[in-house]
Amino acid sequence: MVDAKKALAIVLISVVVSLLAGAPTVVQACLPSDRAALLEFRSKLKEPYIGVFKTWKGQDCCKGWYGVSCDPKSRRVSGITLRGVSEEPIFQRAKRKGFMTGTISPALCKLTHLSGIIIADWEGISGVIPSCITNILAMRHLDLVGNKISGVIPVNIGKLVKLRVLNLADNKISGGIPPSITRLTMLSHLDLVNNNLSGVIPGDIGRLKMLSRVLLTGNKLSGQIPESLTRIYRLADLELSMNRITGSIPTSMGKMSVLATLNLDGNLISGAIPGTLMNSSISNLNLSGNLLAGKIPNTFGPRSYFTVLDLSNNRLQGAIPGSITTASFIGHLDVSHNHLCGKIPTGSPFDHLEATSFAYNSCLCGKPLGKCRK
């Protein structure tokens, strides 16, 4: 009986060994097709100073290729991270920031498992964003900031439904913001600052409930501020400065529970300042350089806390409201270049402000300006 059990065990062990021998081996190197796509991508770029592509050699693009990351199980290329400004040793040895020229090759689109593309701050990369990039459906992070990329934002950008970060700032991108962008319901960070974008902000941008930052400063955007923006609960930073935006500021903007920065300076916004803005969660408020009229709202209170409150270069009239002295803090205040009149309130925050904060008004008086006439 014992001999039979031993014989059975030997047979089972032999079967297991045979199965293991015939089992597929764990993938050790990257796919040849991924490697070929990376080399094609590299062939369209020139980087003479740092040497980021010098490590792109050998058969395994998942091992030792600078800026390339792979999924540990499938060994498919999952990320490309190439930053022109970095603290990594390769930059410290070069003792300078990077500079890269060339274009972003459509070969990138062959890397179908990419979840992140960061090709940032190289200053010289030009050409357009390949439209096929919208077919990389695993994409979560697309960052092309700080180059010379032109053309338009791909019209089908809304296909990238897993996208959380879209940063195309500091380029030369033109055209409009594609309506399909409002399908990116996972998006938390949208940065299109300093481009040549025109047209309007999509009216249904409020569908993007995960947004915490919307940065659109320095474009040629027109139309009104979509009221739907005020329904994005998580929105903390809204920057629309230096555009051609018209219309009034939605009253509901001052009721947003986590909005901390609201920069609308350098537009064509008209109407009155909503009273809700002066007693809200906003701590950095810049409305300068618009066509705002009426009075500064007399709605300040203990909840009012401003590191910056800039209302300069508008058409505001009347006096500086007395309730402003009840604000818990105002660091920088600027109401210059308006039509304000009357005595400047005394006490905090006015005891640390300079005359330039009140200059070029109709008839403001009192410290730090001249004495009021009796």
Side-chain angles (χ1 to χ4, degrees):
M1 187 68 178
V2 175
D3 291 340
K5 286 184 178 180
K6 285 182 178 180
L8 180 60
I10 292 169
V11 169
L12 289 172
I13 291 170
S14 300
V15 170
V16 170
V17 170
S18 299
L19 288 172
L20 289 173
T25 56
V26 178
V27 179
Q28 295 296 331
C30 70
L31 244 62
S33 58
D34 280 6
R35 179 179 178 275
L38 285 171
L39 292 177
E40 190 176 347
F41 161 73
R42 173 192 169 179
S43 70
K44 302 297 182 182
L45 296 167
K46 184 178 180 181
E47 191 282 290
Y49 301 114
I50 308 299
V52 294
F53 292 130
K54 287 183 178 179
T55 59
W56 286 33
K57 54 189 177 182
Q59 294 301 308
D60 188 3
C61 60
C62 294
K63 185 177 181 180
W65 285 37
Y66 182 86
V68 177
S69 54
C70 297
D71 181 275
K73 292 183 179 179
S74 68
R75 306 296 283 177
R76 298 298 303 271
V77 174
S78 60
I80 296 175
T81 304
L82 298 172
R83 297 186 187 274
V85 178
S86 175
E87 296 296 324
E88 293 193 22
I90 191 173
F91 283 82
Q92 292 180 356
R93 286 193 295 270
K95 296 181 180 179
R96 60 162 294 154
K97 63 181 182 179
F99 180 78
M100 191 184 296
T101 57
T103 61
I104 298 175
S105 169
L108 212 57
C109 306
K110 298 176 184 178
L111 300 168
T112 55
H113 285 63
L114 277 176
S115 62
I117 298 176
I118 301 174
I119 306 170
D121 297 317
W122 292 101
E123 298 183 354
I125 297 176
S126 57
V128 303
I129 302 170
S131 59
C132 60
I133 211 166
T134 62
N135 295 324
I136 309 176
L137 301 183
M139 187 79 66
R140 296 171 185 266
H141 192 128
L142 179 58
D143 185 347
L144 305 177
V145 63
N147 291 291
K148 291 183 178 177
I149 296 168
S150 57
V152 301
I153 299 172
V155 66
N156 291 323
I157 192 76
K159 290 170 62 178
L160 302 179
V161 294
K162 294 183 179 180
L163 201 64
R164 286 175 165 79
V165 173
L166 178 60
N167 188 353
L168 306 177
D170 300 322
N171 280 288
K172 297 183 176 182
I173 299 169
S174 57
I177 299 175
S180 73
I181 206 168
T182 62
R183 299 179 198 160
L184 303 177
T185 54
M186 299 298 291
L187 198 66
S188 64
H189 181 105
L190 175 63
D191 190 348
L192 306 177
V193 164
N194 294 334
N195 279 286
N196 295 313
L197 295 169
S198 57
V200 302
I201 302 170
D204 57 345
I205 194 171
R207 293 175 57 186
L208 306 183
K209 301 297 185 184
M210 302 299 288
L211 275 175
S212 62
R213 306 191 80 199
V214 175
L215 312 178
L216 304 177
T217 292
N219 285 285
K220 300 173 183 176
L221 298 170
S222 56
Q224 300 189 15
I225 301 170
E227 200 275 334
S228 69
L229 268 172
T230 68
R231 296 195 291 273
I232 303 177
Y233 172 78
R234 299 169 184 264
L235 192 61
D237 298 312
L238 177 60
E239 300 187 13
L240 307 180
S241 309
M242 307 307 293
N243 280 287
R244 299 171 182 175
I245 294 170
T246 56
S248 58
I249 301 171
T251 302
S252 50
M253 195 148 275
K255 299 176 182 178
M256 298 174 70
S257 57
V258 297
L259 187 65
T261 297
L262 178 61
N263 290 339
L264 304 178
D265 50 296
N267 282 288
L268 302 169
I269 299 169
S270 56
I273 299 173
T276 52
L277 293 183
M278 301 304 160
N279 193 14
S280 67
S281 61
I282 300 170
S283 59
N284 186 335
L285 179 62
N286 192 343
L287 306 180
S288 66
N290 280 288
L291 305 174
L292 295 166
K295 296 182 177 182
I296 299 173
N298 191 22
T299 52
F300 292 87
R303 190 185 176 205
S304 307
Y305 186 103
F306 292 102
T307 54
V308 173
L309 176 57
D310 193 340
L311 309 178
S312 64
N313 290 282
N314 279 288
R315 299 175 178 179
L316 300 171
Q317 298 176 329
I320 297 174
S323 66
I324 198 169
T325 60
T326 67
S328 60
F329 179 77
I330 299 181
H332 172 78
L333 173 68
D334 192 344
V335 295
S336 64
H337 296 272
N338 280 288
H339 305 298
L340 300 173
C341 197
K343 189 176 187 300
I344 298 171
T346 56
S348 178
F350 301 97
D351 50 8
H352 71 274
L353 296 174
E354 297 183 2
T356 52
S357 295
F358 306 96
Y360 299 100
N361 276 286
S362 295
C363 49
L364 281 179
C365 61
K367 190 178 179 181
L369 299 179
K371 292 182 179 180
C372 294
R373 295 177 181 177
K374 293 183 179 179

